Amino acid sequence: MTDPERGPAPRFRPSGLRATRLRTRHLRTPHLRAPGSRPPSGTPRRTLRLARLRTRRRLARLGAVLRTRTARLLLPVLAALLAVPLLTAAHQARPAPYGDRLSAPGRAATPAIPDPAVRIRGAEVHAYDRTTGRTRWTYARTGHHPLTVHAAPGHLFTLWSDGLVTDTVRGDGRAVRWHRAIPAFDGRPAGVLQPLDAAAEMLAVLTPHHIAAYRTVDGDLRWVLPAKPGCHFAPARTARRGHVLLVAQPCAESVPWTDQIVPVDALGRIAPGRNPLGNGRTAHDQRRGTPGPGGRARPVPGPRN
């Protein structure tokens, strides 16, 4: 109300406790509530929806992380389990080395003793029973054919058309022990395969250019003897004198006949005062007392009294 004499009435200004209550009335104090209790009616529903959505996203991320870690742990195990059949299939599907094809239809029913007889039939080597004539096993190589074979106790040496020499288990043909290639093979098989002892512990392979000796148990090359300059070996012209193999070595020039015959044994060329090319004497040499270095026989040491 306005008094014309005093002017406009002064505006009321509260003070003290009443003023404090009036100033704090418009402020909203956050409500503290127990877990699980319902929110106050004044809480916006949009805020609740956002909070629930954030919680769901966090749970989804946590689940994805857990699944990723589990997958990382299981991945090597699954890869190893899948690799085993794949490697087995690849091993079975790979081609045989050197094109070997071994077949033994009577291996299970026929004992490995005695050793079967052997012959070449077409492109295969056939081992058959001496009594019944039934095929014991066959051996062939893809793209090649056998030229000659030499049978020894427990061994079957075969010379192939590509100049490869193989040793097969003669009893049951279960495996090929080794393969060795002949350098500069001229295709003539006569006299190429020459065992150097009765037990066939050493095998000499003769070519016009050299003589190579292999240990039959594993195909290890023991020594190589080259032909004399101006001469060449004749594998088809050989002779035996005890444990010595005599090999003809014709020469283009006139030389004494003694130089045209080369004697060899399991240790290499036989000559006075020789150094064995075989790097020592083998077990069968010691048993038979064959000459050692210097051409003298070494007695086999016996038990001491």
Side-chain angles (χ1 to χ4, degrees):
M1 169 180 275
T2 305
D3 190 353
E5 296 180 359
R6 296 181 180 181
R11 189 175 181 180
F12 176 75
R13 295 182 179 180
S15 60
L17 181 60
R18 182 177 179 81
T20 302
R21 290 178 179 178
L22 291 176
R23 285 195 300 268
T24 59
R25 183 177 299 175
H26 68 281
L27 298 177
R28 293 182 179 180
T29 305
H31 297 274
L32 300 176
R33 57 189 178 90
S37 61
R38 298 182 60 182
S41 59
T43 303
R45 294 183 179 180
R46 183 177 180 183
T47 304
L48 291 177
R49 287 196 298 269
L50 292 176
R52 292 173 182 173
L53 181 61
R54 291 170 182 169
T55 303
R56 292 175 182 174
R57 289 179 178 176
R58 291 175 181 174
L59 293 177
R61 292 175 183 175
L62 180 60
V65 170
L66 294 177
R67 288 193 298 270
T68 304
R69 291 180 179 178
T70 305
R72 290 177 180 177
L73 294 176
L74 294 179
L75 185 59
V77 179
L78 294 176
L81 294 177
L82 293 176
V84 171
L86 293 177
L87 292 176
T88 303
H91 178 76
Q92 295 177 353
R94 67 177 183 177
Y98 303 98
D100 290 344
R101 291 186 288 113
L102 284 169
S103 175
R107 180 181 300 172
T110 305
I113 300 175
D115 286 341
V118 181
R119 62 189 172 190
I120 296 177
R121 181 183 296 176
E124 295 181 338
V125 177
H126 281 247
Y128 59 94
D129 191 89
R130 298 177 185 271
T131 304
T132 63
R134 180 182 301 177
T135 299
R136 185 85 63 86
W137 54 266
T138 62
Y139 176 30
R141 293 181 58 229
T142 304
H144 308 287
H145 61 275
L147 298 179
T148 184
V149 294
H150 186 92
H155 300 267
L156 177 65
F157 308 110
T158 308
L159 174 63
W160 297 86
S161 57
D162 60 346
L164 198 70
V165 177
T166 60
D167 179 20
T168 311
V169 178
R170 184 180 174 186
D172 54 7
R174 64 180 180 273
V176 181
R177 291 188 178 93
W178 45 264
H179 305 71
R180 294 296 180 267
I182 303 177
F185 177 59
D186 59 0
R188 292 179 291 182
V192 173
L193 305 178
Q194 297 286 347
L196 296 176
D197 58 274
E201 295 182 4
M202 295 285 289
L203 175 70
V205 178
L206 280 61
T207 66
H209 304 286
H210 68 269
I211 302 174
Y214 298 91
R215 187 170 56 194
T216 58
V217 67
D218 54 5
D220 183 43
L221 178 63
R222 303 307 298 166
W223 53 263
V224 177
L225 177 65
K228 186 177 180 180
C231 306
H232 66 276
F233 294 117
R237 299 167 56 186
T238 60
R240 291 188 179 274
R241 183 67 176 175
H243 65 277
V244 179
L245 175 65
L246 303 176
V247 183
Q249 183 185 226
C251 302
E253 300 179 356
S254 298
V255 295
W257 68 270
T258 53
D259 292 339
Q260 299 185 36
I261 299 178
V262 178
V264 295
D265 62 3
L267 301 180
R269 182 168 184 171
I270 299 176
R274 67 170 179 175
N275 292 323
L277 300 178
N279 300 324
R281 304 169 71 233
T282 58
H284 69 277
D285 288 329
Q286 295 179 1
R287 289 194 300 267
R288 297 185 314 181
T290 53
R296 295 183 179 180
R298 292 183 177 180
V300 179
R304 297 182 179 180
N305 295 331

